[in-house]
């Protein structure tokens, strides 16, 4: 069993402390900073076997070196990263497995936000760590890759089992939801979800994780072939990729 602890970092980042309960192996996904993560490790496990990075951005790797030094951890990252991952030890490419205790993490290369971006999917735990590729009710900005790449990466995640829980890199959910609602106006499920999100945030609780199932019905970036959305965008005859590109551009200015 995979135990997952959400750690709030920096202004709106999430790092995830993970433990395989059977073997007592401990890891952290995307340590944004040393301090917040270290406090949680000291409190719970007092050790850290692995550091997993989804991509090279500093708000996902900032804690790498400090944690590695203190706990003698091994850093697992993308083989598509150049030299940007501080302290990289184990490099993984698309479809590789990473053994985390008794659990198998499948590495998926999902470029777009950055070219090196990967995700870690654990079928046994029904969990995926999506970094800055897929957020709740949104997706990451396209920085290094193309819209085609980002779209294909999101399609890959869409094909996972529907009960997969998504653990993403940032608390952007409410603002993302407002954007979805500006176009997907008749979506009752989305309206209800935004209500729930507001309640959670009021209590200072994370809106993460979310199930893929739920996102498929509410996240506009997963709904590029929805007829109502296409009509609202006046893109009735456009392809899914064209709709996705339009939505990403609109979101950039939202
Ligand atoms: Zn990023
Ligand atoms: Fe980020």
């Amino acid at each position: 069993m995979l135990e997952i602890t959400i750690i709030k970092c920096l202004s709106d980042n999430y790092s995830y402390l993970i433990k395989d309960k059977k073997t007592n192996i401990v890891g952290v996904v995307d340590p944004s900073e040393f301090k917040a993560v270290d406090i949680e490790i000291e409190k719970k496990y007092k050790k850290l076997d692995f550091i997993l990075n989804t991509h090279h951005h500093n708000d996902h790797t900032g804690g790498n070196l400090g944690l590695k030094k203190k706990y003698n951890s091994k850093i697992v990252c993308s083989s598509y990263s150049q030299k940007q991952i501080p302290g990289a030890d184990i490099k993984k490419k698309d479809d590789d497995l990473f053994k985390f205790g008794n659990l198998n993490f499948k590495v998926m290369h999902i470029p777009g936000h950055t070219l090196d971006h990967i995700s870690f999917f654990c079928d046994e735990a029904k969990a995926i760590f999506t970094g800055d590729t897929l957020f709740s009710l949104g997706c990451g900005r396209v920085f290094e890759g193309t819209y085609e790449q980002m779209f294909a990466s999101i399609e890959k995640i869409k094909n996972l089992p529907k009960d997969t829980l998504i653990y993403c890199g940032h608390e952007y959910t409410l603002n993302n939801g407002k954007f979805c609602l500006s176009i997907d106006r008749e979506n009752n499920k989305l309206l209800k979800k935004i209500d729930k999100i507001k309640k959670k945030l009021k209590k200072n609780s994370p809106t993460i994780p979310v199930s893929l199932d739920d996102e498929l019905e509410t996240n506009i970036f997963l709904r590029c072939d929805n007829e109502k959305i296409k009509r609202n965008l006046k893109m009735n005859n456009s392809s899914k990729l064209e709709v996705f590109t339009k939505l990403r551009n609109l979101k950039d200015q939202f």
Side-chain angles (χ1 to χ4, degrees), residues 45-132:
Y45 309 130
K46 303 208 172 358
K47 66 170 208 139
L48 183 68
D49 302 293
F50 294 105
I51 296 167
L52 284 66
N53 297 128
T54 60
H55 65 296
H56 70 81
H57 284 160
N58 196 257
D59 62 319
H60 299 255
T61 59
N64 272 21
L65 292 181
L67 292 166
K68 176 172 177 167
K69 194 171 170 205
K70 177 163 176 184
Y71 295 101
N72 200 19
S73 329
K74 288 268 177 276
I75 296 182
V76 185
C77 63
S78 165
S79 68
Y80 309 96
S81 308
Q82 302 304 319
K83 292 191 175 93
Q84 313 108 313
I85 305 268
D89 293 302
I90 303 167
K91 299 211 161 193
K92 294 288 181 186
K93 59 180 192 318
D94 192 39
D95 246 359
D96 277 353
L97 281 183
F98 168 61
K99 271 258 170 219
F100 183 74
N102 265 352
L103 299 166
N104 287 305
F105 283 18
K106 197 180 103 166
V107 174
M108 290 161 60
H109 185 215
I110 45 169
H113 177 70
T114 61
L115 289 174
D116 68 337
H117 207 302
I118 54 173
S119 62
F120 297 93
F121 169 61
C122 178
D123 203 3
E124 294 106 312
K126 289 278 181 285
I128 184 170
F129 299 94
T130 58
D132 287 355

Side-chain angles (χ1 to χ4, degrees), residues 17 23 32 46 74 92 109 186 189-190 246 249 253:
L17 194 60
T23 58
S32 309
K46 303 208 172 358
K74 288 268 177 276
K92 294 288 181 186
H109 185 215
E186 301 93 348
K189 216 162 171 196
L190 176 61
K246 175 76 181 172
N249 283 323
Q253 294 144 33

